């Protein structure tokens, strides 16, 4: 994935194997984003239901039910990605959790000059704003490679549905740049929240930021 040049250094993201690059609806044509969403859903479906997706013995209605759920989740994640990070590198992971199969997770990385450090990470993680009746829950987990922030929030969509967002971030300070890494999961499957929190904290160190001279 392409990095961002900061003071003569180029930063490149090296995500774990199996992560998919999420196109931006701001910079990519609608047909490109639509095609990607379809491919991502089918890839996740094949991973989740390998025999069913290949026309095996499972009931077709079960396959369509899972496909519909994954389609909604991936579309929501793309929209959330555009809102959270309009620029920069993003990724989505298919994590096998409990009986839910692959669960999409958004990854964003932002870099800034050390002299211009701000609270951008808190904004990306959703720590600001939210429902005033049920404000975001913010914690600070211990990480071996930076300052950690963990945010859980619940928002209500226009149809009255509850969406929970779990985000884990890391700010690492280098002489040349301040690097923010954020992992964000968003779903209506509230039961998964405790597992997702633990998984994201464990996954964050796997997202490596490697610098090299141009």
């Amino acid at each position: 994935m392409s990095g961002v040049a900061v003071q003569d250094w180029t930063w490149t993201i090296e995500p774990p194997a199996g992560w998919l690059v999420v196109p931006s609806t701001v910079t990519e044509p609608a047909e490109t984003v639509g095609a990607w969403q379809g491919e991502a859903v089918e890839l996740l479906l094949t991973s989740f239901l390998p025999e069913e997706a290949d026309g095996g013995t499972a009931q077709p209605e079960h396959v369509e039910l899972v496909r519909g759920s994954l389609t909604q989740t991936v579309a929501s994640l793309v929209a959330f990605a555009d809102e959270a990070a309009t620029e920069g590198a993003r990724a989505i992971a298919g994590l096998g959790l409990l009986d839910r199969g692959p669960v999409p997770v958004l990854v964003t990385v932002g870099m800034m000059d050390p002299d211009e450090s701000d609270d951008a990470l808190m904004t990306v993680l959703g720590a600001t704003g939210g429902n005033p009746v049920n404000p975001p829950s913010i914690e600070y987990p211990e990480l071996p490679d930076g300052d950690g922030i963990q945010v859980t929030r619940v928002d209500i969509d226009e149809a009255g549905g509850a969406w929970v967002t779990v985000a884990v971030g890391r700010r690492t300070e280098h002489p040349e740049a301040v690097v923010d890494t954020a992992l964000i999961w968003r779903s209506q499957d509230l039961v998964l929240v405790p597992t997702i929190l633990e998984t994201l904290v464990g996954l964050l160190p796997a997202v490596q930021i490697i610098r090299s001279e141009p």
Side-chain angles (χ1 to χ4, degrees):
M1 298 180 193
S2 60
V4 178
V6 179
Q7 293 187 351
D8 300 327
W9 289 92
T10 298
W11 298 78
T12 303
I13 306 163
E14 297 290 347
W19 292 56
L20 308 175
V21 177
V22 178
S24 169
T25 60
V26 177
T27 59
E28 301 294 335
E31 56 270 21
T32 299
V33 177
W36 176 88
Q37 287 181 274
E39 293 173 0
V41 168
E42 293 306 312
L43 179 62
L44 294 177
L45 181 65
T46 302
S47 175
F48 185 25
L49 304 171
E51 295 182 359
E52 292 84 337
D54 292 337
T57 58
Q59 297 296 322
E61 55 268 24
H62 181 214
V63 177
E64 291 308 310
L65 179 63
V66 175
R67 179 181 284 113
S69 177
L70 288 174
T71 299
Q72 182 183 27
T73 300
V74 171
S76 175
L77 188 63
V78 171
F80 190 74
D82 284 332
E83 177 183 349
T86 56
E87 299 178 356
R90 288 120 42 121
I92 167 178
L95 305 175
L97 297 177
L98 302 179
D99 297 326
R100 268 68 173 186
V103 177
V105 175
L106 166 71
V107 176
T108 71
V109 175
M111 284 144 280
M112 67 190 74
D113 189 290
D115 296 332
E116 299 177 358
S117 180
D118 56 22
D119 61 351
L121 181 58
M122 297 289 284
T123 301
V124 170
L125 295 177
T128 59
N131 188 337
V133 179
N134 185 20
S137 171
I138 304 173
E139 298 182 26
Y140 299 89
E142 295 184 6
L143 300 175
D145 53 354
D147 298 326
I149 303 174
Q150 176 179 297
V151 179
T152 304
R153 61 183 283 175
V154 176
D155 296 289
I156 307 300
D157 61 22
E158 295 180 355
W163 288 85
V164 62
T165 301
V166 175
V168 174
R170 171 187 64 201
R171 168 159 289 187
T172 307
E173 297 184 0
H174 300 274
E176 300 83 6
V178 173
V179 182
D180 290 341
T181 304
L183 277 63
I184 306 172
W185 170 80
R186 189 176 189 233
S187 177
Q188 290 185 302
D189 196 346
L190 306 185
V191 177
L192 281 181
V193 170
T195 303
I196 286 290
L197 281 172
E198 180 179 354
T199 302
L200 293 190
V201 171
L203 182 62
L204 187 58
V207 182
Q208 301 290 325
I209 309 298
I210 300 175
R211 62 184 181 181
S212 61
E213 293 187 63

